[in-house]
Amino acid sequence: MSSQTRVPRKQRASAKIDDVARLAGVSPMTVSRVINKGANVREETRRKVEAAIAELNYAPSNAARILAGGEDIRIGLLHSNPSFAYLSEFLVGALEETSTANAQLLVKPCNEEGGEAKAVEKLLRTRIDGVILPPPLSDSPAVLEALRHADVPVVAVATGRAPEWALSVSIDDREAAFTMTHHLASLGHSRIGFITGHPNQTASAERLDGYREALAALHLPFDPALVAQGYFTYRSGLEAATQLLDLAVPPTAIFASNDDMAAAAVTVAHRRGLDVPRQLTVCGYDDTALAVSVWPELTTIRQPTTDMARRAVRLLIAEIRSRNAGTSAGQHPHVVAEFKLIRRDSDAGPAA
Amino acid sequence: MSSQTRVPRKQRASAKIDDVARLAGVSPMTVSRVINKGANVREETRRKVEAAIAELNYAPSNAARILAGGEDIRIGLLHSNPSFAYLSEFLVGALEETSTANAQLLVKPCNEEGGEAKAVEKLLRTRIDGVILPPPLSDSPAVLEALRHADVPVVAVATGRAPEWALSVSIDDREAAFTMTHHLASLGHSRIGFITGHPNQTASAERLDGYREALAALHLPFDPALVAQGYFTYRSGLEAATQLLDLAVPPTAIFASNDDMAAAAVTVAHRRGLDVPRQLTVCGYDDTALAVSVWPELTTIRQPTTDMARRAVRLLIAEIRSRNAGTSAGQHPHVVAEFKLIRRDSDAGPAA
DNA sequence: ACGTTCGATGGTTGCGCTATCACCTGAAAC
DNA sequence: GTTTCAGGTGATAGCGCAACCATCGAACGT
């Protein structure tokens, strides 16, 4: 009835697709095509449109895109307190990939020991299309089980033995430990001590296996006394290294399952007046910031953490898409990333 | 003309606002009101709607909300490589806050020395409403200048001297250093060595000032020989500590401007057969993971990093909103967070 | 020469939500 | 008893974009 002149709701300063279309002298639809895949657009038209986009500094509205039928992928990332240093590299990679894929990343801490299932439940209540699990959560039976129960796609990262039903991205811990052990042997060491990781992380066993396999391959004897139990903490490394160096015939090299424990081994050596690496070689694993915050800087194994996070996100998104399309092949890819032995100053041949 | 039955575009499994409305027997608009602020809705109606929401497990579509006139805040976070451990705590806080505020966080590395301005430019090209700068970028004149030029709201975090035109969140470095120095003196130390931070980070000077002020307040002499230049790196800490301990009358305590350098000081002490803390007290700053990855664990100053990130985001969003509303008061709040002296095992009274 | 096909383009519609205003009730005010 | 007003509620109209046809011209075949 009334010819009311409603006030416009807002004045987004930024250009919209119609502005671009007008400037380029085409329809909005054509602009959309140029932005998206650009299929079936004449070269000349495309150029005009692109020029218009550049001139107006146009950036499509994500919200509108999603609303108009684009997908809206939401990925949850659960993390627990340990290894903040690792987490940040991981987050950066995940964030990067989710933003280029136009997905949302929801980061949730999952700290309390018993509250894991609860944290999962809480996360899932917000409609999550997939979950990405960095270590050590990627090994947590409670979390894994809760997620499996919810039938949500999951990527387990850097775990030694990912569940079959999940996706995974990891390095070959066994091979990495093999490589490091081989490296130490090639330096001339034959009594190589090993400090294990926490028994509830599957990677720990893999690393130990790699150590043993290398020994076997090199026809070196495996001496159980040279394997000391550690728990990935500095403190446990202190004890393990002490135990190893207290041996009647102590090792000439110690390979620790992470950098914290390697740093601890260095400390123990120094306290005993042992020069590293002249009198004792010490190697770590993970290449965390600690590896270069210690003197001498640690020879260690580096995982491409940021890149692994990126890959994990990509894997997850692919799985989500194929699920949505009903194309889920029931395949669960397990990606193996390349590790790298980083040689620094903590290794040398055995003392004469 | 044609009574074509268009195929529906997609079948979002999840409930929409209309479903809730129908179930609750009200209009979508009422549901919207309940979701948002709930102003002018009868208590009974609200309850019905809430029940319907719960039953359908309804979650509003962000995209639709934004599109329908909600704000769409995009915050950029620039970071450079140093102190990955810090970054991750920071990221977690920032992510948390942006997601509850329904804003987007765009994380961009800014590594190359000269490419800072370029990184800023690249970030700004994507329509950014504000930028959050963790250290050490919060002290980078190049970055700051580029941002100021672009007239974008900025929060500088953990900088000693934030530009007036920007927002900031930091602890009072001067007071923190004062507190630590005071603590050492109260333990009985009167010759307290100090290792400075990198001269291009403004917090360094603040910390030194705090040290000097505490000395003055305690009527202890200030001896320039007890101040050694460091650069926040482990290596520089090694040199600085060596210099300090080589003094004819060496200090009985060393206060380093960060944990890395404190760890280095511990190493130097150990190499000289000095027991820490029995024969030398060493204290750090920042409470990074390193502080507890070293033996003895470091007494240090802890910044509430995660919380500071949260606050920074909140500050930025408030500023963006008031700008959008044209209410920008020209005020630039500078929030001061609470630090905490964390006492661990690296300090004790001076040797008798 | 004329129909056929296909590539390029445009018009229309609607994604799910909220701003706006109209409306409708009941209670207080006259 | 009627007016007034406020609080509660509903109807309508987009937000900016992309899916879905429709269309139109040109290259192609016979």
mmCIF file of all heavy atoms in Angstrom, chain B residues 24-46:
data_model
loop_
_atom_site.group_PDB
_atom_site.id
_atom_site.type_symbol
_atom_site.label_atom_id
_atom_site.label_comp_id
_atom_site.label_asym_id
_atom_site.label_seq_id
_atom_site.Cartn_x
_atom_site.Cartn_y
_atom_site.Cartn_z
ATOM 1 N N ALA B 24 8.277 -24.302 17.214
ATOM 2 C CA ALA B 24 7.942 -23.533 18.410
ATOM 3 C C ALA B 24 6.606 -22.823 18.245
ATOM 4 O O ALA B 24 6.068 -22.260 19.190
ATOM 5 C CB ALA B 24 9.040 -22.522 18.703
ATOM 6 N N GLY B 25 6.102 -22.820 17.031
ATOM 7 C CA GLY B 25 4.834 -22.165 16.780
ATOM 8 C C GLY B 25 4.920 -20.649 16.804
ATOM 9 O O GLY B 25 3.996 -19.965 17.204
ATOM 10 N N VAL B 26 6.069 -20.145 16.369
ATOM 11 C CA VAL B 26 6.224 -18.684 16.302
ATOM 12 C C VAL B 26 6.788 -18.319 14.935
ATOM 13 O O VAL B 26 6.982 -19.190 14.098
ATOM 14 C CB VAL B 26 7.174 -18.172 17.392
ATOM 15 C CG1 VAL B 26 6.631 -18.467 18.773
ATOM 16 C CG2 VAL B 26 8.549 -18.778 17.216
ATOM 17 N N SER B 27 7.076 -17.067 14.727
ATOM 18 C CA SER B 27 7.653 -16.661 13.450
ATOM 19 C C SER B 27 9.177 -16.714 13.530
ATOM 20 O O SER B 27 9.743 -16.614 14.615
ATOM 21 C CB SER B 27 7.227 -15.250 13.113
ATOM 22 O OG SER B 27 8.001 -14.338 13.846
ATOM 23 N N PRO B 28 9.792 -16.847 12.387
ATOM 24 C CA PRO B 28 11.260 -16.881 12.360
ATOM 25 C C PRO B 28 11.858 -15.665 13.066
ATOM 26 O O PRO B 28 12.881 -15.761 13.736
ATOM 27 C CB PRO B 28 11.588 -16.847 10.871
ATOM 28 C CG PRO B 28 10.375 -17.362 10.198
ATOM 29 C CD PRO B 28 9.203 -17.030 11.056
ATOM 30 N N MET B 29 11.190 -14.566 12.910
ATOM 31 C CA MET B 29 11.702 -13.335 13.492
ATOM 32 C C MET B 29 11.835 -13.463 15.007
ATOM 33 O O MET B 29 12.815 -13.003 15.607
ATOM 34 C CB MET B 29 10.716 -12.210 13.157
ATOM 35 C CG MET B 29 11.329 -10.846 13.251
ATOM 36 S SD MET B 29 12.895 -10.771 12.411
ATOM 37 C CE MET B 29 13.928 -10.177 13.722
ATOM 38 N N THR B 30 10.877 -14.058 15.598
ATOM 39 C CA THR B 30 10.920 -14.234 17.047
ATOM 40 C C THR B 30 12.086 -15.134 17.441
ATOM 41 O O THR B 30 12.798 -14.865 18.409
ATOM 42 C CB THR B 30 9.604 -14.843 17.545
ATOM 43 O OG1 THR B 30 8.538 -13.972 17.169
ATOM 44 C CG2 THR B 30 9.619 -15.001 19.042
ATOM 45 N N VAL B 31 12.283 -16.164 16.655
ATOM 46 C CA VAL B 31 13.413 -17.047 16.927
ATOM 47 C C VAL B 31 14.708 -16.249 16.858
ATOM 48 O O VAL B 31 15.573 -16.348 17.720
ATOM 49 C CB VAL B 31 13.458 -18.205 15.919
ATOM 50 C CG1 VAL B 31 14.684 -19.063 16.172
ATOM 51 C CG2 VAL B 31 12.197 -19.026 16.002
ATOM 52 N N SER B 32 14.792 -15.435 15.831
ATOM 53 C CA SER B 32 15.983 -14.607 15.664
ATOM 54 C C SER B 32 16.201 -13.742 16.893
ATOM 55 O O SER B 32 17.313 -13.625 17.406
ATOM 56 C CB SER B 32 15.818 -13.740 14.419
ATOM 57 O OG SER B 32 16.844 -12.793 14.344
ATOM 58 N N ARG B 33 15.144 -13.181 17.387
ATOM 59 C CA ARG B 33 15.272 -12.326 18.567
ATOM 60 C C ARG B 33 15.777 -13.118 19.761
ATOM 61 O O ARG B 33 16.622 -12.651 20.522
ATOM 62 C CB ARG B 33 13.926 -11.674 18.876
ATOM 63 C CG ARG B 33 13.746 -10.352 18.142
ATOM 64 C CD ARG B 33 12.515 -9.606 18.628
ATOM 65 N NE ARG B 33 11.309 -10.068 17.969
ATOM 66 C CZ ARG B 33 10.729 -9.432 16.962
ATOM 67 N NH1 ARG B 33 11.232 -8.313 16.489
ATOM 68 N NH2 ARG B 33 9.641 -9.908 16.422
ATOM 69 N N VAL B 34 15.251 -14.302 19.905
ATOM 70 C CA VAL B 34 15.692 -15.132 21.027
ATOM 71 C C VAL B 34 17.185 -15.428 20.917
ATOM 72 O O VAL B 34 17.933 -15.322 21.875
ATOM 73 C CB VAL B 34 14.905 -16.461 21.077
ATOM 74 C CG1 VAL B 34 15.524 -17.407 22.102
ATOM 75 C CG2 VAL B 34 13.453 -16.185 21.407
ATOM 76 N N ILE B 35 17.592 -15.784 19.706
ATOM 77 C CA ILE B 35 18.992 -16.119 19.506
ATOM 78 C C ILE B 35 19.893 -14.940 19.821
ATOM 79 O O ILE B 35 20.919 -15.074 20.471
ATOM 80 C CB ILE B 35 19.250 -16.540 18.052
ATOM 81 C CG1 ILE B 35 18.477 -17.800 17.724
ATOM 82 C CG2 ILE B 35 20.731 -16.757 17.833
ATOM 83 C CD1 ILE B 35 18.447 -18.068 16.243
ATOM 84 N N ASN B 36 19.499 -13.779 19.353
ATOM 85 C CA ASN B 36 20.393 -12.646 19.459
ATOM 86 C C ASN B 36 20.434 -12.006 20.827
ATOM 87 O O ASN B 36 21.257 -12.357 21.652
ATOM 88 C CB ASN B 36 20.077 -11.650 18.368
ATOM 89 C CG ASN B 36 20.443 -12.226 17.030
ATOM 90 O OD1 ASN B 36 21.511 -12.799 16.885
ATOM 91 N ND2 ASN B 36 19.558 -12.142 16.066
ATOM 92 N N LYS B 37 19.584 -11.082 21.067
ATOM 93 C CA LYS B 37 19.666 -10.520 22.414
ATOM 94 C C LYS B 37 18.475 -10.944 23.249
ATOM 95 O O LYS B 37 18.525 -10.964 24.452
ATOM 96 C CB LYS B 37 19.791 -9.005 22.352
ATOM 97 C CG LYS B 37 18.729 -8.342 21.520
ATOM 98 C CD LYS B 37 19.322 -7.194 20.720
ATOM 99 C CE LYS B 37 19.782 -7.714 19.355
ATOM 100 N NZ LYS B 37 20.913 -7.004 18.803
ATOM 101 N N GLY B 38 17.369 -11.264 22.565
ATOM 102 C CA GLY B 38 16.211 -11.689 23.328
ATOM 103 C C GLY B 38 15.451 -10.522 23.923
ATOM 104 O O GLY B 38 14.705 -10.685 24.875
ATOM 105 N N ALA B 39 15.643 -9.332 23.376
ATOM 106 C CA ALA B 39 14.897 -8.189 23.878
ATOM 107 C C ALA B 39 13.449 -8.304 23.417
ATOM 108 O O ALA B 39 13.169 -8.754 22.311
ATOM 109 C CB ALA B 39 15.505 -6.898 23.334
ATOM 110 N N ASN B 40 12.549 -7.924 24.281
ATOM 111 C CA ASN B 40 11.135 -7.906 23.927
ATOM 112 C C ASN B 40 10.596 -9.262 23.498
ATOM 113 O O ASN B 40 9.956 -9.389 22.457
ATOM 114 C CB ASN B 40 10.874 -6.898 22.807
ATOM 115 C CG ASN B 40 11.106 -5.485 23.270
ATOM 116 O OD1 ASN B 40 11.368 -5.257 24.459
ATOM 117 N ND2 ASN B 40 11.001 -4.549 22.362
ATOM 118 N N VAL B 41 10.890 -10.254 24.269
ATOM 119 C CA VAL B 41 10.299 -11.562 24.011
ATOM 120 C C VAL B 41 9.750 -12.062 25.341
ATOM 121 O O VAL B 41 10.436 -12.008 26.362
ATOM 122 C CB VAL B 41 11.342 -12.557 23.483
ATOM 123 C CG1 VAL B 41 10.720 -13.931 23.297
ATOM 124 C CG2 VAL B 41 11.938 -12.062 22.182
ATOM 125 N N ARG B 42 8.538 -12.508 25.316
ATOM 126 C CA ARG B 42 7.942 -12.966 26.558
ATOM 127 C C ARG B 42 8.701 -14.197 27.045
ATOM 128 O O ARG B 42 9.170 -15.008 26.253
ATOM 129 C CB ARG B 42 6.467 -13.291 26.361
ATOM 130 C CG ARG B 42 5.638 -12.912 27.602
ATOM 131 C CD ARG B 42 4.200 -13.350 27.446
ATOM 132 N NE ARG B 42 3.821 -13.298 26.030
ATOM 133 C CZ ARG B 42 2.832 -14.002 25.524
ATOM 134 N NH1 ARG B 42 2.153 -14.836 26.286
ATOM 135 N NH2 ARG B 42 2.528 -13.900 24.248
ATOM 136 N N GLU B 43 8.735 -14.316 28.332
ATOM 137 C CA GLU B 43 9.505 -15.397 28.932
ATOM 138 C C GLU B 43 9.035 -16.753 28.429
ATOM 139 O O GLU B 43 9.838 -17.631 28.095
ATOM 140 C CB GLU B 43 9.362 -15.314 30.459
ATOM 141 C CG GLU B 43 10.498 -15.964 31.229
ATOM 142 C CD GLU B 43 11.851 -15.709 30.600
ATOM 143 O OE1 GLU B 43 12.212 -14.538 30.319
ATOM 144 O OE2 GLU B 43 12.556 -16.689 30.354
ATOM 145 N N GLU B 44 7.756 -16.893 28.332
ATOM 146 C CA GLU B 44 7.184 -18.171 27.913
ATOM 147 C C GLU B 44 7.570 -18.490 26.477
ATOM 148 O O GLU B 44 7.970 -19.609 26.138
ATOM 149 C CB GLU B 44 5.664 -18.079 28.057
ATOM 150 C CG GLU B 44 4.943 -19.386 27.822
ATOM 151 C CD GLU B 44 3.457 -19.129 27.555
ATOM 152 O OE1 GLU B 44 2.922 -18.169 28.134
ATOM 153 O OE2 GLU B 44 2.878 -19.871 26.744
ATOM 154 N N THR B 45 7.469 -17.487 25.633
ATOM 155 C CA THR B 45 7.834 -17.669 24.230
ATOM 156 C C THR B 45 9.292 -18.081 24.110
ATOM 157 O O THR B 45 9.643 -19.018 23.400
ATOM 158 C CB THR B 45 7.634 -16.352 23.459
ATOM 159 O OG1 THR B 45 6.365 -15.808 23.794
ATOM 160 C CG2 THR B 45 7.720 -16.597 21.974
ATOM 161 N N ARG B 46 10.108 -17.384 24.845
ATOM 162 C CA ARG B 46 11.530 -17.685 24.799
ATOM 163 C C ARG B 46 11.781 -19.144 25.141
ATOM 164 O O ARG B 46 12.517 -19.839 24.485
ATOM 165 C CB ARG B 46 12.286 -16.794 25.769
ATOM 166 C CG ARG B 46 13.776 -17.153 25.865
ATOM 167 C CD ARG B 46 14.401 -16.653 27.151
ATOM 168 N NE ARG B 46 14.014 -15.280 27.404
ATOM 169 C CZ ARG B 46 14.438 -14.263 26.683
ATOM 170 N NH1 ARG B 46 15.254 -14.469 25.689
ATOM 171 N NH2 ARG B 46 14.034 -13.053 26.966
#
